[in-house]
Every structure is written in structure tokens, then in C-alpha cells.
């Protein structure tokens, strides 16, 4: 629980909140007469309406079971706070490959789903990503990645192809700039998004760079050393991209960046695949495609992936059969098809057809062998959020040497405490 409390604080929690149900403004009833009500903490707020539809279908088929979906805007912070105070939902969506959620598994909070037949509905590689100490605590539904959304109409207006290499990307930025167009939407006010971008880019430069982070964290080594210069390369690449972004990027959050992008203010938007739902909600007919972030070191391209949607249930729920039944229902191909079509994150459920054209290229590459599990899954819990603070400072002062010093300090601190 101490680890979870620290993770909650690292996510920006100032004080403990009430129960998860308090976040929706309503009262949670666990067991009404003749029926069962299960709290379902759903991490992806942008998928709330889709799960409302799925829940309605489940409740129609199972009239004795009610599902109370909890999906606040700052979902991860609320979730970690509630878990740290012992307010555990019956069903929960988590990111099972990340250290924070592995801590939850270690605490015995989540039920062991190893050997459950429902796991056969998912691709074996996705189930493998969910393993922790030889056990599986979650059912995977979708994988995410990170890249650049491109407005294809704006690219065509400038006679540009979508970028495949770093040189292509910079050339596109320069072409848009010459035409008086700011090239890239950046939501740098959101420290989590900024940390995600940095973490993904450094992984693209070197897929197994987590080994170097551990070396720096547990020895006298430093990222200023010439033989482990990957953090410097990443920092310089992010600064280069910001030359072609809005000057006030640190004042722009995700909602504003999305709005500006769909209104054709920028031709490109650096984001995760999960950002598509908000884009299509605002502009369903937008002609766009996501492309992988090219390797700034100019070497072979590889794609960062993570388990983005995975459901498990509480080890102490009073209604384990009903909780598992809901997860099994969500894993039916015809039900997951609803999520895949309307939320858009690339699915791993067998028998589901993927129709999301803007992510077709990413889905294709995610099925290939040039992928790597994102680095946050190897880092101590909370380290990425802490690292995002000097990352924002880097964008202000552009002092790469100071950023490297701060990176060394944070990495050594977290590895020492882990």
C-alpha cells in the first residue's frame, strides 16, 4: 500500500479522496434486494459512452446484475488514490504491464485469472504482456501505440507525402513553415503527455534503453557519458520538433490541441492512438492518418506498444462470478466489435474486424516484429511523472545539460528507493 500511496502522490494527488463512487456524484449500492450492483472503474474516460452501450446490453441479458461505471476525467489519479485507501472497485481497467499496476497485483488486490477460458479470446502475445510473476490478472482487449496524426488534406495541398523518416518529418515541417503554417500541435501543458512522448522517442532510438536507465540508477554511470547518449539525442529531437510547434505549447493542453488540430490549425498532432476518439468525435469526416514517429537517430524504425485496455476484478469482491461474467461478455467478438468501431484502439480480440482507417498503418505495424514494450513498463512506479517536470523546464530554457543532470538525479533516486 505504501508503494501505491507514493504512486498516487506522484500522479498529482494532494490528499486522499473518498470512495470511487463519490467521484461520480452518486451513491454506490453494492447489493439491492434481488439484484447485484458492481462498481466498474473504467480508466479511459473517452470510452465512457461506448461502455455505457455495452453495459446496457449486458444488463439486458443479465437482469439481476447492474454495472455502475465510474470514469472520472482524472481517472488514473482517482483510481490510485482510491486503491491506496482501500476503496477497491469490483471490476477495474488497468495497464497491466506497468510497475504501478504490478504493485496492485502484488498486494493481492486483483483476482488471479490464470487459466480462465476467456483469455483464449485474446491474441496470445497480448496475454503474455499481461503476465506478472507467471500469473495473469487481467483480460487484454486492446493495444496502444504512439505516433503523429497527419491531416492528409493539408499534406496534399503542399504536395507532401506522409513522413516515414526523420528527414521526411523535418522537411514536412519546413515546407509548412514556409507556407506560413505552424506544423505540429503540441499539448505540453499536460506533463503526462509530454513524459509519454519523451519516453516513446527514447525507446524508438534504442528499444532496450531501460537497461541503461537501470545502469545509471544503480551505479556511478551518467547519461552525460558518451557511450549512453540516448537521452541527449531524445532531448535534442524534441527541441527540434518544438521549433515547428506553437510558441506557447506549454500553455496548451490536450483538449485545446485536439480542437486546434481538427480545425486545421496544424497539419500534425503528436499523440497516442487513444487520442483518435476525441478527434473523430469533433470531426468524424476528417481525412487523417497516424504514422509512427521516425527514429531521430536515422536508424531502423520500431513501434512502441502498450496494453491499453485490460479488465480484471477484485480479489475481495462479494460477487466474483458476476464480475467475471461481465469481463467474458466484453470479450465476445460481437461485443468487442462495438468498442473497436467506436473507441478505435487497435483490438487484440480474435474474430473482431478492425475498420478504423486512420489507424490502419499503426495496426499493421503493431502486428509486425518491429515493436517494443514502452519503457514505463520497466521503470520504477512514478518515475515518468517526476521526469516530466524537468522535461517541461527543458522546453523553457532549452538547457540540455541541465536536463541530463536532472534525469540522472531522478533515475538514481527512484532506483535507490525501488
Amino acid at each position: 500500500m505504501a508503494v501505491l500511496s507514493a504512486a498516487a502522490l506522484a500522479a498529482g494527488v494532494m490528499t486522499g479522496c473518498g470512495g470511487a463512487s463519490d467521484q461520480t456524484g452518486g451513491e454506490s449500492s453494492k447489493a439491492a434486494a434481488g439484484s447485484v450492483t458492481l462498481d466498474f472503474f473504467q480508466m479511459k474516460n473517452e470510452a465512457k459512452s461506448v461502455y455505457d452501450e455495452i453495459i446496457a446490453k449486458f444488463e439486458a441479458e443479465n437482469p439481476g446484475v447492474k454495472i455502475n461505471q465510474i470514469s472520472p476525467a482524472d481517472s488514473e489519479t482517482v483510481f490510485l488514490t482510491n486503491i491506496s485507501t482501500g476503496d477497491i472497485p469490483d471490476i477495474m481497467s488497468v495497464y497491466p504491464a506497468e510497475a504501478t499496476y504490478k504493485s496492485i497485483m502484488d498486494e493481492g488486490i486483483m483476482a488471479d485469472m490464470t487459466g480462465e477460458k476467456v483469455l483464449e479470446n485474446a491474441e496470445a502475445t497480448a496475454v503474455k504482456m499481461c503476465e506478472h510473476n507467471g500469473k495473469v490478472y487481467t483480460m487484454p482487449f486492446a493495444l496502444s501505440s504512439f505516433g503523429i496524426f497527419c491531416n492528409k488534406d493539408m499534406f496534399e495541398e503542399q504536395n507532401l507525402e506522409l513522413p516515414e523518416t526523420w528527414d521526411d518529418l523535418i522537411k514536412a515541417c519546413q515546407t509548412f513553415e514556409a507556407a506560413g503554417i505552424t506544423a505540429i500541435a503540441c499539448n505540453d501543458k499536460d506533463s503526462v503527455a509530454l513524459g509519454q512522448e519523451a519516453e516513446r522517442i527514447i525507446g524508438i532510438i534504442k528499444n532496450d534503453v531501460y537497461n541503461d536507465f537501470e545502469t545509471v540508477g544503480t551505479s556511478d554511470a551518467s547519461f552525460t557519458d558518451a557511450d549512453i547518449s540516448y537521452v541527449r539525442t531524445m532531448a535534442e529531437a524534441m527541441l527540434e520538433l518544438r521549433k515547428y510547434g506553437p510558441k506557447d505549447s506549454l500553455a496548451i493542453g490536450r483538449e485545446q490541441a485536439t480542437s486546434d488540430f481538427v480545425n486545421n490549425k496544424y497539419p500534425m498532432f503528436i499523440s497516442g492512438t487513444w487520442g483518435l476518439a476525441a478527434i473523430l468525435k469533433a470531426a468524424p469526416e476528417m481525412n487523417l492518418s497516424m504514422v509512427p514517429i521516425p527514429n531521430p537517430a536515422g536508424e531502423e524504425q520500431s513501434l512502441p506498444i502498450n496494453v491499453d485496455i485490460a479488465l480484471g476484478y477484485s480479489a475481495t469482491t462479494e460477487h466474483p462470478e458476476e464480475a467475471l461474467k461481465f469481463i467474458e461478455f466484453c470479450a465476445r467478438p460481437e461485443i468487442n466489435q462495438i468498442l473497436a468501431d467506436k473507441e478505435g484502439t487497435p483490438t487484440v480480440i480474435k474474430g473482431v474486424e478492425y475498420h478504423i482507417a486512420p489507424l490502419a498503418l499503426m495496426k499493421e505495424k503493431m502486428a509486425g516484429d518491429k515493436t517494443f514494450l514502452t519503457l514505463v513498463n520497466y521503470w520504477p512506479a512514478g518515475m515518468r511523472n517526476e521526469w516530466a517536470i524537468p522535461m517541461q523546464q527543458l522546453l523553457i530554457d532549452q538547457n540540455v545539460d541541465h536536463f541530463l543532470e536532472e534525469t540522472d538525479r531522478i533515475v538514481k533516486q527512484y532506483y535507490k528507493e525501488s
Side-chain angles (χ1 to χ4, degrees), residues 40 55 58 67 91 311 322-330:
F40 168 37
I55 288 168
F58 174 81
I67 304 295
I91 307 163
L311 303 185
E322 290 85 352
L324 181 58
K325 181 179 287 189
F326 177 70
I327 295 173
E328 291 170 339
F329 182 84
C330 293

Side-chain angles (χ1 to χ4, degrees), residues 108-167:
I109 290 169
M110 300 188 69
D112 183 1
M113 294 181 64
T114 308
E116 292 287 355
K117 188 170 179 59
V118 68
L119 296 176
E120 297 175 6
N121 287 32
E123 296 170 5
T125 51
V127 176
K128 186 70 176 177
M129 291 179 195
C130 294
E131 281 189 10
H132 177 53
N133 292 334
K135 296 182 179 181
V136 179
Y137 296 88
T138 57
M139 169 69 193
F141 288 86
L143 300 180
S144 66
S145 189
F146 208 85
I148 306 172
F149 285 112
C150 297
N151 183 321
K152 295 170 73 174
D153 291 339
M154 294 183 74
F155 269 79
E156 290 172 6
E157 289 169 3
Q158 300 298 325
N159 296 314
L160 287 169
E161 298 291 332
L162 299 186
E164 295 183 4
T165 67
W166 189 260
D167 287 344

Side-chain angles (χ1 to χ4, degrees), residues 48-177:
K48 186 178 185 301
S49 61
V50 185
Y51 273 107
D52 282 340
E53 181 178 345
I54 292 172
I55 288 168
K57 290 180 178 295
F58 174 81
E59 291 178 345
E61 186 176 302
N62 300 273
V65 184
K66 300 293 182 184
I67 304 295
N68 174 41
Q69 182 180 188
I70 304 160
S71 188
D74 196 3
S75 58
E76 187 169 31
T77 297
V78 174
F79 178 77
L80 293 176
T81 301
N82 291 340
I83 291 293
S84 69
T85 58
D87 188 0
I88 302 168
D90 301 282
I91 307 163
M92 62 199 88
S93 69
V94 301
Y95 304 115
E98 296 185 12
T100 297
Y101 299 93
K102 289 177 180 177
S103 298
I104 293 173
M105 299 168 192
D106 290 336
E107 291 285 350
I109 290 169
M110 300 188 69
D112 183 1
M113 294 181 64
T114 308
E116 292 287 355
K117 188 170 179 59
V118 68
L119 296 176
E120 297 175 6
N121 287 32
E123 296 170 5
T125 51
V127 176
K128 186 70 176 177
M129 291 179 195
C130 294
E131 281 189 10
H132 177 53
N133 292 334
K135 296 182 179 181
V136 179
Y137 296 88
T138 57
M139 169 69 193
F141 288 86
L143 300 180
S144 66
S145 189
F146 208 85
I148 306 172
F149 285 112
C150 297
N151 183 321
K152 295 170 73 174
D153 291 339
M154 294 183 74
F155 269 79
E156 290 172 6
E157 289 169 3
Q158 300 298 325
N159 296 314
L160 287 169
E161 298 291 332
L162 299 186
E164 295 183 4
T165 67
W166 189 260
D167 287 344
D168 290 342
L169 177 58
I170 300 305
K171 177 185 175 182
C173 289
Q174 292 171 342
T175 300
F176 284 117
E177 183 182 49

Side-chain angles (χ1 to χ4, degrees), residues 208-332:
D208 63 350
V209 73
Y210 53 84
N211 289 322
D212 297 308
F213 274 84
E214 184 174 4
T215 297
V216 170
T218 57
S219 72
D220 293 332
S222 167
F223 281 113
T224 61
D225 297 342
D227 59 336
I228 49 174
S229 58
Y230 313 109
V231 175
R232 180 181 294 277
T233 303
M234 176 276 298
E236 291 173 347
M238 291 189 69
L239 288 177
E240 184 173 18
L241 291 179
R242 265 64 191 176
K243 293 177 183 177
Y244 307 102
K247 303 305 180 186
D248 60 343
S249 67
L250 284 165
I252 298 175
R254 177 175 170 180
E255 289 186 7
Q256 183 62 52
T258 301
S259 176
D260 290 342
F261 177 67
V262 301
N263 285 302
N264 302 321
K265 186 173 182 178
Y266 310 106
M268 290 182 279
F269 180 18
I270 300 172
S271 178
T273 50
W274 53 85
L276 181 65
I279 292 173
L280 294 184
K281 183 178 180 180
E285 302 302 321
M286 189 173 185
N287 184 20
L288 78 158
S289 179
M290 177 177 260
V291 300
I293 297 176
N295 189 336
E299 298 174 5
E300 189 174 21
Q301 176 65 49
S302 54
L303 195 69
I305 58 174
N306 203 2
V307 181
D308 195 56
I309 302 177
L311 303 185
Y313 64 98
S314 168
T316 57
T317 178
E318 296 177 1
H319 307 288
E321 292 183 9
E322 290 85 352
L324 181 58
K325 181 179 287 189
F326 177 70
I327 295 173
E328 291 170 339
F329 182 84
C330 293
R332 293 180 189 175

